[in-house]
Structures are given as structure tokens and as C-alpha cells.
């Protein structure tokens, strides 16, 4: 029940560009082959900051899913869904809000940072303060073990871990926990029970993390135990109560080094992007008119690639041989800037071609995308409802 599961979300607040591709999507595409993956459109998260421009969200949701598919996210391998179509996220968010100290939310660094950064918006709302808790609900509801995120999101994962711990601490207690846990150990069979005890002792007495990990994987393999017994056995390893929600790990996505058209990081706010499926003519034009080393005014002036944004793109797209050609040609005025840009134009177009082709399939038949999402939402709801059953029961609101 606690086998590896990857979950990540993206806010639909505008169209995706090559920075998203190199930073996030390539990583998702790789992970879908190695793990069970869930990827979702965080439309409620988008509303926390874009509550006054709902058109942006509505338009971006479907474009974004097409972008994911274009980038190679494979619906046969990963479950793709929309947050608001799985209303259980909202229920868990509400229930977790009962045990979330205000101070914890106020201290999450993104709270003040974003308010300062987006000062033109009024972000002193209840919804925005709760942003990290909604994210916790997203993660905990699937009992995700790994969450690929950028560095700025690490505090949100840490916050999620604290919420899970607090939840388990409050609701994982039950009368006679130890006896029940020991009874569950017996059900493992004598050999595995002995191993479980040994590993548990090694962890509790010597802080041996490897023993803890082995014990957890021993439990992952158990198929015949009841859900409640597994929660007890996981909880008994580390503490004195059931483990109802499991703590996720952040899986740090290396910061995108993708440079934009002006040499700064590619970002919508710098207006220096190439969008994921931008048409060929526009891509060529954008690169052809990119600024170069400002000291190289005439063709006969020598240049310095280190002072040129085009060189940053060569570092992403060109092989060693081409890079040497640039270095030498630029420093000796042997090549012109238009000439220098051509291999970059060719490489970007080549990278985008399969993406544009895959996207075309979905643009021609939008029902395909709707169906992928409908399937994904259904799968997600099924997983979410299992956790909700346990959560409601733990909180004493499962009447039946
Ligand atoms: N906050 C994330 C971001 O801005 C998006 C997000 C929402 C998310 N819920 C999530 C990411 C759950 C990972 C897991 O990028
Ligand atoms: Fe930049 Fe290339 Fe021109 Fe040199 S030759 S300034 S690296 S575009």
C-alpha cells in the first residue's frame, strides 16, 4: 500500500514554453517509465492567485494537457487528471484545516514572498494562505511517496510531511494499540515476524535508517494483511500509533538552465520565451532577431560568446564540434551572427517537430484529450476515495 508513487501538479496560468519542457516535462516523461505516476492540472491552485482572471485558467487547462501530451507524457503510463474534477481534494483540504495551526501556514516562505512579488494582486485571502495545505491534500490523498518539484516548492513538501505527522499523531492513537500491533506482527508468520521485530529494534535503539527502510519494504510486500493492520505495522515501526497518512519525499528537479531569448532564464515574466508548439516561422524569426554580443556591431568586429545570449542556446542545443566552430568563428570574426544562429534554429525546430506532430493528433480530435482526462479523473477518484475512507473513519465522521 505504500509502494512508490509519484505525484506532481502544474498550475494552468499560461501557455508552456521550452523552459517548462527542459525543466519539468522531460523529467516527467522519464519518470513515467520508472514509477507509477500521477500528473494533474492544479486549477484550484491557479485560482488562488488568478481568481480575477478565470478566462486565463479555462483556456490554459486544455492547452496545457495538449502540451504535456506533445512533450511525450504518455496516458498509457501516467494518470492525467484535473484537480477540480476530484472534489475529494477539497474535502481533505477542509478536514486537514481543522488541525493546521495558522502559524504554520503564515511561516511558509512562499506566503510572504509571493505576496511581495505579486504586489499588484490582493493575496491576503483565506484561499491563498491555504495554498500549501491544498497542496498537502493533493499529495496525501494519493499517499504519494515522491513529489518532483523545483527548489522553491521544497518548503511545501516539508510542510506536508509535518501535517501528515500531526494527523497520524492525533488520529493514529487507538486503545490497545500495542496489543493490536503485536497481534498484527504475528499475522506476518513467524519468520517475517522475527525479522520485523529485529529491524524495528535496530531502528528504535540505534536509529538505523537502513533497518527502517528494510522493514518498510517487507511490509510493502504483504498482501494478505488488512488495511488497518498495515497502518498499525507501519506506525509501530516509528512510533505509537497508526500511520494513516504517509510522509512524501521531495524529488528535486534540477533547476531549468534553459536560457531565454535575452540570456536570462526563460520565463513568461521576462517576455523571452519560445512556446512549446510555436510555429516554425515565428521560432526562426525570434532567434534570428535575438540580441548578440553588444560589442560586435559590424560583421568585421570580433565577438565574445560569453557575452552573447545565442551562445547560451548553443550550450543547450549544439554538440562539441559546433560549439568549437562558434567559439573560433566568433572570436576571429570568421562567421556572422546570422550564420551562427542557424544551427540553433535548426535544433529547436527539430526538437519541436515531434511535439507539434503529436499535438496535431489531439487538436484534430479534441475528444481524445477529453477522454484521456475523463479516464484519469476516474482512476484518481478511486485512489482518493480509499484514503478518504480511512481519513473520515479516523476523524470520527464515517457513519454507516
Ligand atoms: N505548487 C506547485 C507549483 O506551483 C503546483 C502544485 C500544486 C503541486 N499541487 C501540487 C506540485 C502537488 C506537486 C504536488 O509548481
Ligand atoms: Fe553571438 Fe554567435 Fe554572433 Fe558570436 S557569432 S556574437 S556567439 S551570435
Amino acid at each position: 500500500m505504500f509502494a512508490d508513487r509519484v505525484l506532481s501538479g502544474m498550475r494552468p496560468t499560461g501557455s508552456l514554453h521550452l523552459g517548462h519542457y527542459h525543466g519539468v516535462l522531460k523529467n516527467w516523461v522519464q519518470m513515467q517509465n520508472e514509477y507509477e505516476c500521477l500528473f494533474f492540472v492544479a486549477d484550484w491552485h491557479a485560482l488562488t492567485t488568478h481568481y480575477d482572471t478565470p478566462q486565463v485558467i479555462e483556456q490554459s487547462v486544455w492547452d496545457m494537457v495538449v502540451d504535456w501530451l506533445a512533450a511525450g507524457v504518455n496516458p498509457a503510463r501516467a494518470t492525467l487528471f484535473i484537480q477540480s474534477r476530484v472534489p475529494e481534494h477539497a474535502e481533505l483540504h477542509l478536514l486537514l484545516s481543522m488541525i493546521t495551526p495558522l502559524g504554520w501556514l503564515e511561516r511558509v516562505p512562499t506566503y510572504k514572498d509571493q505576496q511581495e512579488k505579486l504586489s499588484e494582486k490582493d493575496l491576503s485571502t483565506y484561499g491563498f494562505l491555504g495554498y500549501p495545505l491544498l497542496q498537502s491534500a493533493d499529495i496525501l490523498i494519493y499517499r504519494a511517496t515522491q513529489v518532483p518539484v523545483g527548489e522553491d516548492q521544497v518548503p511545501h513538501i516539508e510542510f506536508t510531511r509535518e501535517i501528515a505527522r500531526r494527523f497520524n499523531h492525533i488520529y493514529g492513537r487507538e486503545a490497545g494499540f500495542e496489543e493490536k500491533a503485536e497481534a498484527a506482527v504475528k499475522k506476518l508468520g513467524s519468520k517475517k515476524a522475527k525479522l520485523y521485530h529485529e529491524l524495528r529494534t535496530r531502528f528504535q535503539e540505534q536509529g538505523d535508517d537502513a533497518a527502517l527502510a528494510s522493514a518498510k519494504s517487507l511490509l510493502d510486500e504483504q498482501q494478505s494483511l488488512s488495511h488497518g493492520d498495515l497502518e498499525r505495522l507501519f506506525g509501530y515501526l516509528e512510533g505509537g500509533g497508526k500511520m494513516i497518512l504517509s510522509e512524501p519525499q521531495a524529488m528535486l528537479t534540477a533547476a531549468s538552465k534553459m536560457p531565454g531569448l535575452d540570456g536570462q532564464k526563460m520565463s513568461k515574466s521576462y517576455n523571452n520565451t519560445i512556446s512549446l508548439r510555436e510555429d516554425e516561422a515565428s521560432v526562426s524569426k525570434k532567434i534570428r532577431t535575438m540580441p548578440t554580443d553588444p560589442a560586435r556591431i559590424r560583421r568585421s568586429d570580433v565577438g565574445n560568446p560569453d557575452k552573447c545570449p545565442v551562445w547560451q542556446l548553443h550550450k543547450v542545443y549544439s554538440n562539441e564540434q559546433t560549439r568549437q566552430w562558434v567559439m573560433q568563428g566568433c572570436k576571429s570574426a570568421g562567421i556572422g551572427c546570422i550564420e551562427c544562429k542557424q544551427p540553433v534554429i535548426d535544433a529547436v525546430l527539430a526538437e519541436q517537430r515531434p511535439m507539434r506532430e503529436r499535438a496535431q493528433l489531439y487538436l484534430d480530435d479534441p475528444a481524445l484529450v477529453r477522454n484521456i482526462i475523463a479516464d484519469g479523473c476516474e482512476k484518481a477518484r478511486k485512489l482518493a476515495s480509499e484514503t478518504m475512507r480511512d481519513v473520515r473513519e479516523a476523524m470520527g465522521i464515517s457513519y454507516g
Side-chain angles (χ1 to χ4, degrees), residues 350-362:
E351 176 175 76
Q352 287 180 316
R353 206 160 290 130
M355 295 204 244
R356 244 184 263 107
E357 277 169 18
R358 273 193 293 261
Q360 198 57 47
L361 191 75
Y362 298 107

Side-chain angles (χ1 to χ4, degrees), residues 1-2 143 172 174 176-189 196 215 219-220 222-237 241-244 389-390 393:
M1 100 169 158
F2 295 107
R143 295 185 161 119
E174 55 180 351
F177 174 75
E178 280 210 16
E179 294 72 30
K180 286 181 183 162
E182 283 296 346
V185 178
K186 288 217 179 68
K187 295 181 195 163
L188 291 170
Y196 177 93
L219 295 179
D220 280 336
Q222 302 313 309
Q223 316 228 304
S224 57
L225 288 188
S226 74
H227 213 62
D229 275 343
L230 272 175
E231 287 174 350
R232 286 183 191 101
L233 291 179
F234 274 102
Y236 195 42
L237 284 173
K242 282 184 179 179
M243 191 154 104
I244 301 157
R389 190 195 52 209
D390 296 349
E393 197 176 297

Side-chain angles (χ1 to χ4, degrees), residues 287 290-296 301-312 314 325-327 329-331 333-341:
I287 299 176
M290 266 178 81
T292 58
D293 175 0
R296 199 172 180 204
D301 295 335
V302 297
N304 179 358
D306 288 325
K307 302 210 167 114
C308 177
V310 179
W311 174 242
Q312 300 300 318
H314 275 292
W325 170 78
V326 173
M327 266 293 171
C330 180
K331 287 180 168 170
I335 59 171
C337 291
I338 289 289
E339 215 178 322
C340 177
K341 288 169 171 177

